Amino acid sequence: MAVSARRGTPLTPEEIYNTALRLVDEVGVEGLSMRKLAAELDVNPMSLYHHVESKTALISQICASQGLRMELPGEDLPWRERVRLLAHAYRSLSRDHPNMWRYVHSHPEIIASRTGGLWDVLFSILVTVGVPDSELRRTADVLYGFVTGLVFAESTGHIGQGQDSAEADRTFETAIDLIIRGLGG
């Protein structure tokens, strides 16, 4: 019996998430299995369950780790610039990992909490522009839906089809400008 190259090397959550994301990028979420992930990591499939309880939990953790890696704007910037940078960070994430992005948006329970990362920045911006507490969630959902719809339409060719990337970027900037005007300015 061959000795595993991993013997003695501890498996880390970061290694699991990065490898799983790479596999999702290659074969989609449907093509990812705990068995395939274990083979890729050169471990027994059962050892993965010491780190993550299920494939759904793994997908949630991948999303959380990617959310932490997004280049999010700091509170030191004017809110208009924060809106622009946040929208671009979100668009970049969808382009960097389209299989994961599409899966998450057809399985909203994976990111249902609306906390951390992108959401914290968005809620902070909305408070800065004076959105009442009673309307924060609804306003955040509308803005998220607007940008998500635009990114989805762009990724499927419904918007920007036949356009060069500069024209697609201008279309995206127009959408951000509409958001900024709608928020007050």
Side-chain angles (χ1 to χ4, degrees), residues 68-126:
L68 293 173
R69 291 181 184 163
M70 284 178 71
E71 289 188 40
L72 298 173
E75 291 192 22
D76 57 323
L77 297 170
W79 72 265
R80 289 169 186 82
E81 186 63 18
R82 292 173 67 204
V83 167
R84 193 169 303 286
L85 291 171
L86 182 61
H88 280 284
Y90 181 72
R91 184 183 188 209
S92 292
L93 181 65
S94 75
R95 288 177 164 188
D96 292 344
H97 305 290
N99 289 336
M100 178 62 77
W101 188 85
R102 278 194 288 296
Y103 182 84
V104 165
H105 289 88
S106 62
H107 296 81
E109 70 279 1
I110 291 177
I111 55 168
S113 69
R114 288 175 174 67
T115 58
L118 171 139
W119 293 102
D120 289 349
V121 173
L122 181 54
F123 283 121
S124 172
I125 291 167
L126 296 177

Coordinates of all heavy atoms in Angstrom, one line a residue, residues 68-126:
L68 N -14.4 37.6 3.1 CA -13.4 38.2 3.8 C -12.2 38.7 2.9 O -11.5 39.6 3.3 CB -12.8 37.2 4.9 CG -13.8 36.8 6.0 CD1 -13.2 35.7 6.9 CD2 -14.2 38.1 6.8
R69 N -12.1 38.1 1.8 CA -11.0 38.5 0.9 C -11.4 39.6 -0.1 O -10.5 40.1 -0.8 CB -10.6 37.2 0.1 CG -9.9 36.2 0.9 CD -9.5 35.0 0.0 NE -8.9 34.0 0.9 CZ -8.7 32.8 0.5 NH1 -9.1 32.4 -0.7 NH2 -8.2 31.9 1.3
M70 N -12.7 39.9 -0.1 CA -13.1 41.0 -1.0 C -12.4 42.3 -0.6 O -12.2 42.6 0.6 CB -14.6 41.2 -0.9 CG -15.4 40.2 -1.7 SD -17.2 40.5 -1.5 CE -17.4 41.9 -2.5
E71 N -12.0 43.1 -1.6 CA -11.4 44.4 -1.3 C -12.6 45.4 -1.0 O -13.1 46.0 -1.9 CB -10.6 44.9 -2.5 CG -9.3 44.1 -2.6 CD -8.4 44.7 -3.7 OE1 -8.3 45.9 -3.8 OE2 -7.8 43.9 -4.4
L72 N -12.9 45.5 0.3 CA -14.0 46.3 0.7 C -13.5 47.7 1.1 O -12.5 47.9 1.7 CB -14.7 45.7 1.8 CG -15.3 44.3 1.5 CD1 -15.9 43.7 2.8 CD2 -16.4 44.4 0.5
P73 N -14.3 48.8 0.7 CA -13.9 50.1 1.0 C -14.0 50.4 2.5 O -14.9 49.9 3.2 CB -14.9 51.0 0.2 CG -16.1 50.1 0.1 CD -15.6 48.7 0.0
G74 N -13.1 51.2 3.0 CA -13.1 51.6 4.4 C -14.0 52.8 4.7 O -14.4 53.5 3.7
E75 N -14.3 53.0 5.9 CA -15.2 54.0 6.3 C -14.6 55.4 6.2 O -15.3 56.4 6.3 CB -15.7 53.8 7.7 CG -16.6 52.6 7.8 CD -17.4 52.5 9.2 OE1 -17.5 53.5 9.9 OE2 -17.8 51.4 9.5
D76 N -13.3 55.5 5.9 CA -12.7 56.8 5.8 C -13.0 57.5 4.5 O -12.7 58.6 4.3 CB -11.2 56.6 6.0 CG -10.6 55.6 5.0 OD1 -11.2 54.6 4.7 OD2 -9.4 55.9 4.5
L77 N -13.6 56.7 3.5 CA -13.9 57.3 2.2 C -15.3 57.9 2.2 O -16.2 57.5 3.0 CB -13.8 56.2 1.2 CG -12.5 55.5 1.0 CD1 -12.6 54.3 0.1 CD2 -11.5 56.5 0.4
P78 N -15.5 58.9 1.3 CA -16.9 59.4 1.1 C -17.9 58.2 0.7 O -17.5 57.3 0.0 CB -16.8 60.4 0.0 CG -15.3 60.7 -0.1 CD -14.6 59.5 0.4
W79 N -19.1 58.3 1.1 CA -20.0 57.2 0.9 C -20.2 56.9 -0.6 O -20.4 55.8 -1.0 CB -21.4 57.5 1.6 CG -22.3 58.5 1.0 CD1 -22.4 59.8 1.4 CD2 -23.2 58.4 -0.1 NE1 -23.3 60.5 0.6 CE2 -23.8 59.6 -0.3 CE3 -23.6 57.3 -0.9 CZ2 -24.8 59.9 -1.3 CZ3 -24.5 57.5 -1.9 CH2 -25.1 58.8 -2.1
R80 N -20.2 58.0 -1.4 CA -20.4 57.7 -2.9 C -19.2 56.8 -3.4 O -19.5 55.9 -4.2 CB -20.4 59.0 -3.6 CG -21.6 59.8 -3.4 CD -21.5 61.3 -4.0 NE -22.7 62.1 -3.6 CZ -22.8 62.7 -2.5 NH1 -21.9 62.6 -1.5 NH2 -23.9 63.4 -2.2
E81 N -18.0 57.1 -3.0 CA -16.9 56.3 -3.4 C -17.0 54.9 -2.8 O -16.6 53.9 -3.5 CB -15.6 56.9 -3.0 CG -14.3 56.2 -3.5 CD -14.2 56.2 -5.0 OE1 -14.9 57.0 -5.7 OE2 -13.4 55.4 -5.5
R82 N -17.5 54.8 -1.6 CA -17.7 53.4 -1.0 C -18.7 52.6 -1.8 O -18.5 51.4 -2.0 CB -18.1 53.6 0.5 CG -17.0 54.2 1.3 CD -17.4 54.5 2.7 NE -17.8 53.3 3.5 CZ -18.6 53.2 4.5 NH1 -19.2 54.3 4.9 NH2 -18.8 52.1 5.1
V83 N -19.8 53.2 -2.2 CA -20.8 52.5 -3.0 C -20.1 52.0 -4.3 O -20.3 50.8 -4.7 CB -22.0 53.5 -3.4 CG1 -22.8 52.9 -4.5 CG2 -22.8 53.8 -2.1
R84 N -19.4 52.9 -4.9 CA -18.7 52.5 -6.2 C -17.7 51.3 -6.0 O -17.8 50.4 -6.7 CB -18.0 53.7 -6.8 CG -17.6 53.6 -8.2 CD -17.1 54.9 -8.8 NE -18.1 56.0 -8.8 CZ -19.2 56.0 -9.6 NH1 -19.4 55.1 -10.5 NH2 -20.0 57.0 -9.4
L85 N -16.9 51.5 -5.0 CA -15.9 50.4 -4.7 C -16.6 49.1 -4.3 O -16.1 48.0 -4.7 CB -14.9 50.9 -3.7 CG -14.0 52.0 -4.1 CD1 -13.2 52.5 -2.9 CD2 -13.0 51.5 -5.2
L86 N -17.6 49.2 -3.5 CA -18.3 48.0 -3.1 C -19.0 47.3 -4.3 O -18.9 46.0 -4.4 CB -19.4 48.3 -2.1 CG -20.2 47.2 -1.5 CD1 -19.3 46.2 -0.8 CD2 -21.3 47.7 -0.6
A87 N -19.6 48.0 -5.2 CA -20.2 47.4 -6.4 C -19.1 46.8 -7.2 O -19.3 45.6 -7.8 CB -21.0 48.5 -7.2
H88 N -18.0 47.4 -7.4 CA -16.9 46.8 -8.2 C -16.3 45.6 -7.6 O -16.0 44.6 -8.3 CB -15.8 47.9 -8.5 CG -16.2 48.8 -9.6 ND1 -16.1 48.4 -10.9 CD2 -16.6 50.1 -9.6 CE1 -16.5 49.4 -11.7 NE2 -16.9 50.4 -10.9
A89 N -16.2 45.6 -6.2 CA -15.7 44.4 -5.5 C -16.6 43.2 -5.7 O -16.2 42.1 -6.0 CB -15.5 44.7 -4.0
Y90 N -17.9 43.5 -5.7 CA -18.9 42.4 -5.9 C -18.9 41.9 -7.3 O -18.9 40.7 -7.5 CB -20.3 43.0 -5.5 CG -21.4 42.0 -5.7 CD1 -21.5 41.0 -4.8 CD2 -22.3 42.1 -6.7 CE1 -22.6 40.0 -4.9 CE2 -23.4 41.2 -6.8 CZ -23.5 40.2 -5.9 OH -24.5 39.3 -6.0
R91 N -18.8 42.8 -8.2 CA -18.7 42.4 -9.7 C -17.4 41.6 -9.9 O -17.5 40.6 -10.6 CB -18.7 43.6 -10.5 CG -18.7 43.4 -12.0 CD -18.6 44.7 -12.8 NE -18.8 44.6 -14.2 CZ -18.3 45.4 -15.0 NH1 -17.5 46.4 -14.6 NH2 -18.5 45.3 -16.3
S92 N -16.3 42.0 -9.3 CA -15.1 41.2 -9.5 C -15.2 39.8 -8.9 O -14.7 38.8 -9.5 CB -13.9 41.9 -8.8 OG -13.6 43.1 -9.4
L93 N -15.8 39.7 -7.8 CA -16.0 38.3 -7.2 C -16.8 37.5 -8.1 O -16.5 36.3 -8.3 CB -16.8 38.5 -5.8 CG -17.0 37.2 -5.1 CD1 -15.7 36.5 -4.6 CD2 -17.9 37.4 -3.9
S94 N -17.9 38.0 -8.7 CA -18.7 37.2 -9.7 C -17.9 36.8 -10.9 O -18.1 35.7 -11.4 CB -19.9 38.0 -10.1 OG -19.6 39.0 -11.0
R95 N -17.0 37.6 -11.3 CA -16.1 37.3 -12.5 C -15.0 36.3 -12.1 O -14.6 35.5 -12.9 CB -15.6 38.6 -13.1 CG -16.6 39.4 -13.8 CD -16.0 40.7 -14.3 NE -16.9 41.3 -15.3 CZ -16.6 42.4 -16.0 NH1 -15.4 42.9 -15.8 NH2 -17.4 42.9 -16.8
D96 N -14.5 36.5 -10.9 CA -13.4 35.6 -10.5 C -13.9 34.1 -10.2 O -13.2 33.2 -10.5 CB -12.7 36.1 -9.2 CG -11.9 37.4 -9.5 OD1 -11.7 37.7 -10.7 OD2 -11.6 38.0 -8.5
H97 N -15.1 34.0 -9.7 CA -15.6 32.7 -9.4 C -17.1 32.6 -9.8 O -18.0 32.5 -9.0 CB -15.5 32.5 -7.9 CG -14.2 32.7 -7.3 ND1 -13.2 31.8 -7.6 CD2 -13.6 33.7 -6.6 CE1 -12.0 32.2 -7.0 NE2 -12.3 33.3 -6.4
P98 N -17.3 32.6 -11.2 CA -18.7 32.6 -11.7 C -19.5 31.3 -11.3 O -20.7 31.5 -11.1 CB -18.5 32.7 -13.2 CG -17.1 32.2 -13.4 CD -16.3 32.5 -12.2
N99 N -18.9 30.2 -11.2 CA -19.7 29.0 -10.8 C -20.2 29.1 -9.4 O -21.4 28.8 -9.2 CB -18.8 27.7 -11.0 CG -18.5 27.3 -12.4 OD1 -19.2 27.7 -13.3 ND2 -17.4 26.6 -12.6
M100 N -19.4 29.5 -8.5 CA -19.8 29.7 -7.1 C -20.8 30.8 -7.0 O -21.9 30.7 -6.4 CB -18.6 30.0 -6.2 CG -19.0 30.3 -4.8 SD -19.7 28.8 -4.0 CE -18.2 27.9 -3.7
W101 N -20.6 31.9 -7.7 CA -21.5 33.1 -7.7 C -22.9 32.7 -8.1 O -23.9 33.0 -7.5 CB -20.9 34.2 -8.5 CG -21.7 35.5 -8.4 CD1 -21.5 36.4 -7.4 CD2 -22.8 35.9 -9.2 NE1 -22.4 37.4 -7.6 CE2 -23.2 37.2 -8.7 CE3 -23.4 35.4 -10.3 CZ2 -24.2 37.9 -9.3 CZ3 -24.4 36.1 -10.9 CH2 -24.8 37.4 -10.4
R102 N -23.0 32.0 -9.3 CA -24.3 31.5 -9.8 C -25.0 30.6 -8.9 O -26.2 30.6 -8.6 CB -24.2 30.9 -11.2 CG -24.1 32.0 -12.3 CD -24.3 31.5 -13.7 NE -23.2 30.7 -14.3 CZ -22.0 31.1 -14.6 NH1 -21.7 32.3 -14.3 NH2 -21.1 30.3 -15.1
Y103 N -24.2 29.6 -8.3 CA -24.8 28.7 -7.4 C -25.4 29.4 -6.1 O -26.5 29.1 -5.7 CB -23.7 27.6 -6.9 CG -24.3 26.6 -6.0 CD1 -24.9 25.5 -6.5 CD2 -24.2 26.7 -4.6 CE1 -25.4 24.5 -5.7 CE2 -24.7 25.7 -3.8 CZ -25.3 24.6 -4.3 OH -25.8 23.7 -3.5
V104 N -24.6 30.2 -5.6 CA -25.1 30.9 -4.4 C -26.4 31.7 -4.6 O -27.3 31.7 -3.8 CB -24.0 31.9 -3.8 CG1 -24.6 32.9 -2.8 CG2 -22.9 31.1 -3.2
H105 N -26.5 32.2 -5.8 CA -27.8 33.0 -6.1 C -28.9 32.2 -6.5 O -30.1 32.7 -6.6 CB -27.4 34.1 -7.2 CG -26.6 35.2 -6.5 ND1 -25.3 35.1 -6.5 CD2 -27.0 36.3 -5.8 CE1 -24.8 36.1 -5.8 NE2 -25.8 36.9 -5.4
S106 N -28.7 30.9 -6.7 CA -29.9 30.0 -6.8 C -30.1 29.2 -5.6 O -31.0 28.4 -5.5 CB -29.6 29.1 -8.0 OG -28.5 28.2 -7.9
H107 N -29.3 29.4 -4.6 CA -29.4 28.8 -3.2 C -29.2 29.8 -2.2 O -28.2 29.9 -1.5 CB -28.4 27.6 -3.1 CG -28.6 26.5 -4.0 ND1 -28.1 26.6 -5.3 CD2 -29.2 25.3 -3.9 CE1 -28.4 25.4 -5.9 NE2 -29.1 24.7 -5.1
P108 N -30.1 30.8 -2.0 CA -29.9 31.9 -1.2 C -29.8 31.6 0.3 O -29.2 32.4 1.1 CB -31.1 32.8 -1.4 CG -32.2 31.9 -2.0 CD -31.4 30.8 -2.7
E109 N -30.2 30.4 0.7 CA -30.0 30.0 2.1 C -28.5 29.9 2.5 O -28.2 30.0 3.7 CB -30.7 28.6 2.4 CG -30.0 27.4 1.8 CD -30.3 27.2 0.3 OE1 -31.1 28.0 -0.3 OE2 -29.8 26.2 -0.3
I110 N -27.7 29.8 1.6 CA -26.2 29.8 1.9 C -25.7 31.1 2.5 O -24.8 31.1 3.3 CB -25.4 29.3 0.6 CG1 -25.8 27.9 0.3 CG2 -23.9 29.5 0.8 CD1 -25.1 27.3 -0.9
I111 N -26.3 32.2 2.0 CA -25.8 33.5 2.5 C -27.0 34.3 3.1 O -27.0 35.5 3.1 CB -25.1 34.3 1.4 CG1 -26.0 34.5 0.2 CG2 -23.8 33.7 1.0 CD1 -25.5 35.5 -0.8
A112 N -27.9 33.6 3.8 CA -29.1 34.2 4.2 C -28.9 35.2 5.4 O -29.7 36.1 5.6 CB -30.1 33.2 4.7
S113 N -27.8 35.1 6.1 CA -27.6 35.9 7.3 C -27.5 37.4 7.1 O -27.8 38.2 7.9 CB -26.4 35.4 8.1 OG -25.2 35.7 7.4
R114 N -26.9 37.8 5.9 CA -26.7 39.2 5.6 C -25.9 39.9 6.7 O -26.2 41.0 7.1 CB -28.0 39.9 5.4 CG -28.7 39.5 4.0 CD -30.0 40.1 3.9 NE -30.6 39.9 2.6 CZ -31.1 38.7 2.1 NH1 -30.9 37.7 2.8 NH2 -31.7 38.7 1.0
T115 N -24.8 39.2 7.1 CA -23.9 39.8 8.1 C -22.5 39.7 7.6 O -22.2 38.8 6.8 CB -24.0 39.2 9.5 OG1 -23.8 37.8 9.3 CG2 -25.4 39.4 10.1
G116 N -21.6 40.5 8.1 CA -20.2 40.5 7.7 C -19.9 41.1 6.4 O -20.8 41.3 5.5
G117 N -18.7 41.3 6.1 CA -18.1 41.8 4.9 C -19.0 42.8 4.1 O -19.2 43.9 4.5
L118 N -19.4 42.4 2.9 CA -20.2 43.2 2.0 C -21.4 43.8 2.7 O -21.7 45.0 2.6 CB -20.6 42.3 0.9 CG -21.6 42.9 -0.1 CD1 -21.2 42.5 -1.5 CD2 -23.0 42.4 0.2
W119 N -22.1 43.0 3.5 CA -23.3 43.5 4.2 C -23.0 44.6 5.2 O -23.7 45.6 5.3 CB -24.1 42.4 4.8 CG -24.6 41.5 3.8 CD1 -24.1 40.3 3.4 CD2 -25.7 41.7 2.9 NE1 -24.8 39.8 2.3 CE2 -25.8 40.6 2.0 CE3 -26.6 42.8 2.8 CZ2 -26.8 40.5 1.0 CZ3 -27.6 42.7 1.8 CH2 -27.7 41.6 1.0
D120 N -21.9 44.4 6.0 CA -21.6 45.4 7.0 C -21.3 46.8 6.3 O -21.7 47.8 6.8 CB -20.3 45.0 7.8 CG -20.7 43.9 8.8 OD1 -21.9 43.5 9.0 OD2 -19.7 43.3 9.3
V121 N -20.5 46.7 5.2 CA -20.2 47.9 4.5 C -21.5 48.6 3.9 O -21.7 49.8 4.0 CB -19.2 47.6 3.3 CG1 -19.0 48.9 2.5 CG2 -17.8 47.2 3.9
L122 N -22.3 47.8 3.3 CA -23.5 48.3 2.7 C -24.4 48.9 3.8 O -24.9 50.0 3.6 CB -24.3 47.2 2.0 CG -25.6 47.6 1.3 CD1 -25.4 48.8 0.3 CD2 -26.2 46.4 0.6
F123 N -24.6 48.2 4.9 CA -25.5 48.8 6.0 C -24.8 50.1 6.5 O -25.5 51.1 6.8 CB -25.7 47.8 7.1 CG -26.7 46.8 6.8 CD1 -26.4 45.4 6.8 CD2 -28.0 47.1 6.4 CE1 -27.3 44.4 6.5 CE2 -28.9 46.1 6.1 CZ -28.6 44.8 6.1
S124 N -23.5 50.2 6.6 CA -22.8 51.4 7.1 C -23.1 52.5 6.1 O -23.3 53.7 6.6 CB -21.3 51.1 7.2 OG -20.6 52.3 7.5
I125 N -23.0 52.2 4.8 CA -23.3 53.3 3.8 C -24.7 53.8 4.0 O -24.9 55.0 4.0 CB -23.0 52.8 2.4 CG1 -21.5 52.5 2.2 CG2 -23.5 53.7 1.4 CD1 -21.2 51.7 1.0
L126 N -25.6 52.9 4.1 CA -27.0 53.3 4.2 C -27.3 54.1 5.4 O -28.1 55.0 5.4 CB -27.9 52.0 4.1 CG -27.9 51.2 2.8 CD1 -28.7 50.0 2.9 CD2 -28.2 52.1 1.6

